Amino acid sequence: MNDLSSPQLQIEGVSKVFGSEGTEVVALKDINLSITAGEFVCLLGPSGCGKSTLLNAIAGFSLPTCGRIVANGAEVAVPGPDRAMVFQEYALFPWMTVAANISFGLEIKKIPKAEIVEKVQTLLEKLQLREFSDRFPKDLSGGMRQRVAIARALALDSPILLMDEPFGALDALTRRSLQEELLRIWMEFKKTIVFVTHSIEESIYLADRIVVMTFRPGTIKQVVPIDLSRPRDVASNCFITIQKQLSQMVMEEQMRFQKDEVEHLRA
Amino acid sequence: MTDKKSRLKNGMAIFKRTLHGSIVPVVLLIAWEALTRSGFINPQILPAPSQVLLKWIAYLKPLEPYDPANMSYLAWLFSGELPHDALASIIRVVGGFAIGAGLALPLGLLMGGSARFYQLMNPLVQLLRPIPPIAYIPLAILWFGLGNPPAFFLISLGAFFPVLMNTISGVRTVDEIYIRAARNLGARGATLFLRIILPAATPHILTGLRVGIGVAFIVVIVAEMIAVNNGLGFRILEAREFMWSDKIIAGMITIGLLGLAIDTGMDRINRYLLRWHRGMDQ
């Protein structure tokens, strides 16, 4: 299924315009990107660069105004379990226990009960959630909640994993340990990951390729391949060199974002 | 600390709190008793609390001596006037509430779930909602005569709107993120509605049910005063005709206790159903 010759995710000439005539905001403009199976791609940029908009378009929540997105060989039209999503706000169902959250997607797929139980057990084990199986999300810390959200997404067995600033709300230590865990999962399950972040360090730590985006209209400023071997050392010279280079690029866009904000206030 | 010790300490804390909380009521009761006993207040207008208590016990007690040939002990125990009245009122509240909430819940889910249905029904709902259920009394009697039917009609009407309005707003204010997550996991249609939207709306719905049963309890007393000839509402109005102020107050206390019991019961149900909810800790 994961044919390496054809991309797992193909974004062709995608633009997205919000609002009606007169007050239009061009969030994405002519995005072309091809992501192969098993690749880890980070979308990096300041607020308003359209990185989340692009992710939502891939997920099928908000379709592009023009252009098309082909995922797993089919054009994206609706949200679906072949593109599992992990949200920044976790989006766990608070009325379901941890185990029920993970099994929800499997129940919808009408998978036999015994199989669901087994699968949930494996995932609980893998993400060190076994003791929390019968707890409600309110009893968990942010890091634990995000583990549940990742387990819930993994349960679907989707080849593509979409992550929208998943670790943005976590403290630095929890964040690092979840990043490591994610890399472990990525290698073990051979997922194609599209990961949105505004943290330069996070993107270098995780990605095979970083897609730097421009502030409004959101276009691809540059695609930066990261060839460092894993596990990556954030204190190594190579890492820091890339970081400086990316930092300059992102800060240019950040300045444009800030300038726009000031102009907006004046207007 | 040992378990026994901590339990003892806990018990002491509860005892202290109860003692503290009972100061004001006890002082008030003593003052009331003293004022009426000293002849300062006419007992016809406001009887002493001790007299009310005696009346309450008499009201509660079986009317006839126990006769095994006639009925079982338990039936005899509850054969007094008060148990009969209380039971009649409870049946009306529960029945009327069940009808009102039973109609409002599905309608509210539909109106909350479908924008088109909402637009269709909302003007009518907004028009009828501000009419207090008590204003329907003349019409209720005209349509249903006297007795239980108009009472059930009025009570269900009282429960209907709080449940309806809260259910609608509950469904309409479900956080978009849950719907997105569920759709991403493949949920659609009925599954999305029953497993995501409905549970996400339960805090609102339960609030509606709680308000609804409260209104039903108010309406039952009024309905009994006007349309029925038993129940707690009827009894206190009847007592007024004989100037039995002690019985009026005894009836009022019973109404208060019953309302408290209903509210406590609802609170228990709430706590159980919303044990996942953040606000339900402690």
Side-chain angles (χ1 to χ4, degrees):
Chain A
M1 193 172 133
N2 289 354
D3 185 5
L4 282 172
S5 57
S6 72
Q8 183 118 60
L9 191 58
Q10 181 86 33
I11 298 159
E12 295 167 8
V14 163
S15 297
K16 177 81 188 176
V17 181
F18 286 114
S20 50
E21 253 176 271
T23 56
E24 289 166 349
V25 173
V26 181
L28 294 173
K29 196 177 165 191
D30 197 28
I31 304 277
N32 289 287
L33 189 64
S34 180
I35 298 171
T36 52
E39 208 179 355
F40 198 133
V41 172
C42 277
L43 304 179
L44 177 68
S47 307
C49 73
K51 54 193 192 300
S52 289
T53 309
L54 183 57
L55 201 71
N56 280 329
I58 299 170
F61 292 131
S62 155
L63 296 179
T65 315
C66 54
R68 60 183 212 139
I69 296 170
V70 179
N72 308 311
E75 188 168 338
V76 169
V78 287
D82 61 320
R83 285 151 287 135
M85 181 113 162
V86 176
F87 301 85
Q88 179 178 5
E89 315 89 324
Y90 322 119
L92 297 176
F93 306 125
W95 53 89
M96 295 185 197
T97 61
V98 166
N101 262 286
I102 299 172
S103 64
F104 182 70
L106 298 171
E107 285 160 31
I108 289 171
K109 277 188 167 179
K110 304 249 186 300
I111 285 169
K113 225 178 180 159
E115 211 173 304
I116 293 179
V117 171
E118 199 187 305
K119 192 151 199 176
V120 170
Q121 279 307 316
T122 315
L123 283 166
L124 287 169
E125 209 77 48
K126 276 236 149 66
L127 284 140
Q128 295 147 49
L129 288 165
R130 209 161 50 100
E131 289 80 9
F132 300 94
S133 156
D134 297 326
R135 291 303 187 89
F136 288 106
K138 67 161 182 167
D139 298 326
L140 309 186
S141 68
M144 279 297 165
R145 282 182 206 180
Q146 204 52 292
R147 280 169 196 273
V148 180
I150 293 170
R152 185 174 71 175
L154 287 176
L156 299 171
D157 273 332
S158 76
I160 298 173
L161 202 55
L162 305 174
M163 309 187 83
D164 190 5
E165 299 195 39
F167 308 144
L170 304 177
D171 66 88
L173 293 174
T174 309
R175 192 169 184 164
R176 177 48 40 87
S177 78
L178 274 170
Q179 286 165 350
E180 276 165 17
E181 198 139 349
L182 179 64
L183 287 173
R184 200 167 52 73
I185 287 163
W186 169 63
M187 287 189 235
E188 186 183 338
F189 293 87
K190 310 232 182 313
K191 299 282 181 196
T192 307
I193 298 183
V194 184
F195 188 108
V196 165
T197 180
H198 55 244
S199 159
I200 296 161
E201 198 231 28
E202 182 168 65
S203 67
I204 306 171
Y205 191 73
L206 295 172
D208 290 327
R209 268 199 301 163
I210 299 173
V211 177
V212 183
M213 296 184 67
T214 62
F215 174 75
R216 218 163 278 165
T219 59
I220 295 179
K221 189 180 175 91
Q222 199 169 331
V223 178
V224 183
I226 308 293
D227 292 324
L228 305 175
S229 62
R230 293 188 177 90
R232 292 172 178 162
D233 178 5
V234 292
S236 71
N237 284 334
C238 296
F239 196 104
I240 291 166
T241 313
I242 300 169
Q243 200 164 5
K244 275 182 187 156
Q245 193 192 334
L246 276 169
S247 182
Q248 204 172 4
M249 256 187 265
V250 175
M251 277 318 279
E252 277 172 24
E253 298 309 316
Q254 176 68 17
M255 286 299 132
R256 288 182 54 209
F257 164 59
Q258 284 171 1
K259 214 176 117 198
D260 181 82
E261 219 178 5
V262 172
E263 271 166 18
H264 223 86
L265 272 178
R266 286 199 185 129
Chain B
M1 205 187 294
T2 62
D3 200 36
K4 214 172 172 185
K5 243 182 182 171
S6 78
R7 215 180 302 150
L8 194 70
K9 202 173 168 190
N10 202 6
M12 276 300 285
I14 291 172
F15 177 71
K16 268 188 188 162
R17 219 177 318 138
T18 317
L19 200 69
H20 188 78
S22 53
I23 292 174
V24 173
V26 167
V27 168
L28 236 111
L29 279 173
I30 291 170
W32 176 7
E33 184 81 36
L35 279 173
T36 42
R37 288 234 175 163
S38 64
F40 202 75
I41 296 176
N42 179 0
Q44 282 276 296
I45 303 293
L46 186 66
S50 55
Q51 197 191 332
V52 171
L53 183 69
L54 289 175
K55 191 72 193 183
W56 192 77
I57 292 167
Y59 184 22
L60 183 69
K61 266 180 16 193
L63 298 172
E64 285 154 32
Y66 177 53
D67 176 10
N70 232 337
M71 57 179 99
S72 74
Y73 186 72
L74 204 69
W76 171 78
L77 204 63
F78 287 98
S79 67
E81 205 177 19
L82 183 143
H84 266 268
D85 286 337
L87 188 68
S89 296
I90 290 172
I91 289 172
R92 283 185 198 113
V93 170
V94 172
F97 174 74
I99 296 169
L103 291 171
L105 197 63
L107 185 65
L109 292 175
L110 271 171
M111 281 180 72
S114 151
R116 198 182 274 179
F117 191 65
Y118 179 82
Q119 282 159 7
L120 186 71
M121 297 301 290
N122 192 44
L124 179 67
V125 169
Q126 294 302 341
L127 217 64
L128 293 178
R129 191 173 64 104
I131 304 174
I134 294 170
Y136 283 90
I137 288 176
L139 212 53
I141 293 173
L142 209 61
W143 286 352
F144 301 103
L146 292 175
N148 270 329
F152 276 124
F153 171 74
L154 292 166
I155 296 159
S156 55
L157 202 67
F160 182 81
F161 284 104
V163 177
L164 181 72
M165 301 322 287
N166 280 283
T167 305
I168 294 172
S169 83
V171 174
R172 283 170 74 96
T173 56
V174 169
D175 197 335
E176 180 68 23
I177 191 83
Y178 299 136
I179 295 172
R180 282 185 163 216
R183 289 179 68 206
N184 183 252
L185 294 165
R188 273 179 297 131
T191 314
L192 186 67
F193 196 80
L194 292 175
R195 296 207 50 195
I196 305 298
I197 294 174
L198 190 60
T202 29
H204 272 92
I205 295 174
L206 287 172
T207 305
L209 291 174
R210 199 165 175 177
V211 175
I213 203 155
V215 175
F217 195 65
I218 295 171
V219 177
V220 76
I221 301 301
V222 180
E224 284 171 349
M225 285 179 166
I226 289 164
V228 204
N229 56 11
N230 58 23
L232 293 165
F234 167 78
R235 201 62 65 199
I236 60 174
L237 203 68
E238 180 199 52
R240 191 211 56 142
E241 280 175 28
F242 298 101
M243 298 278 280
W244 291 336
S245 50
D246 49 358
K247 195 169 178 182
I248 294 177
I249 298 173
M252 285 170 67
I253 291 170
T254 313
I255 291 168
L257 290 175
L258 216 57
L260 185 67
I262 288 174
D263 202 57
T264 312
M266 284 301 279
D267 188 55
R268 287 273 168 84
I269 295 171
N270 259 10
R271 272 172 193 281
Y272 176 73
L273 288 175
L274 296 182
R275 62 199 182 285
W276 51 270
H277 204 257
R278 228 175 280 137
M280 284 293 141
D281 274 324
Q282 277 153 45

